[in-house]
Amino acid sequence: MDAQTETHPACAGRDHKHTPRSQELKRTTVNRLNRAIGQLGGVRAMIEEDRYCGDVLTQLAAANSAVRAVSRMLLKDHLETCVVEQIQEGNTAVIDEVMTLLRKFGA
């Protein structure tokens, strides 16, 4: 089994890969996600209160920007860790995965 499909023992039998992350990345990511979740909660409240469309759209844009920032952080970490490791191990198929991810984010 190659490193890309190897699962952490705690994840055995699950249908996903395991990627250890630094405590700093986890903390920063969770903080940013919590902020985005808060913004989305605010958008929901604005909709329920029949707030002005332009204001709702502004809040949605802010939430979208927050989620995209988290995506960029995780993509950068993925490139610097998982992708580098896979290429060093000779698995150049990981490049196709990266291209698919980039297309998903409009890059």
Side-chain angles (χ1 to χ4, degrees):
M1 178 179 312
D2 67 30
Q4 185 178 2
T5 57
E6 186 174 296
T7 57
H8 187 274
C11 299
R14 295 187 187 163
D15 199 21
H16 60 79
K17 300 172 190 172
H18 178 79
T19 301
R21 293 181 179 85
S22 72
Q23 288 302 95
E24 177 65 17
L25 180 62
K26 285 182 196 180
R27 184 187 61 73
T28 303
T29 302
V30 168
N31 285 344
R32 287 177 181 247
L33 286 172
N34 285 338
R35 222 172 300 142
I37 290 166
Q39 288 171 322
L40 288 172
V43 169
R44 182 181 56 224
M46 292 172 82
I47 294 292
E48 291 169 348
E49 296 167 3
D50 294 323
R51 297 275 298 275
Y52 179 65
C53 296
D55 293 342
V56 174
L57 290 167
T58 298
Q59 277 303 112
L60 278 171
N64 184 44
S65 178
V67 170
R68 290 185 64 81
V70 171
S71 298
R72 283 190 302 274
M73 285 174 38
L74 290 175
L75 180 59
K76 181 179 185 293
D77 183 68
H78 181 56
L79 291 170
E80 292 174 345
T81 58
C82 303
V83 173
V84 168
E85 290 168 8
Q86 288 299 301
I87 290 173
Q88 287 173 341
E89 292 175 9
N91 179 13
T92 57
V94 73
I95 294 169
D96 291 333
E97 175 193 84
V98 169
M99 294 306 296
T100 299
L101 287 170
L102 289 174
R103 279 191 295 276
K104 288 180 182 182
F105 291 101

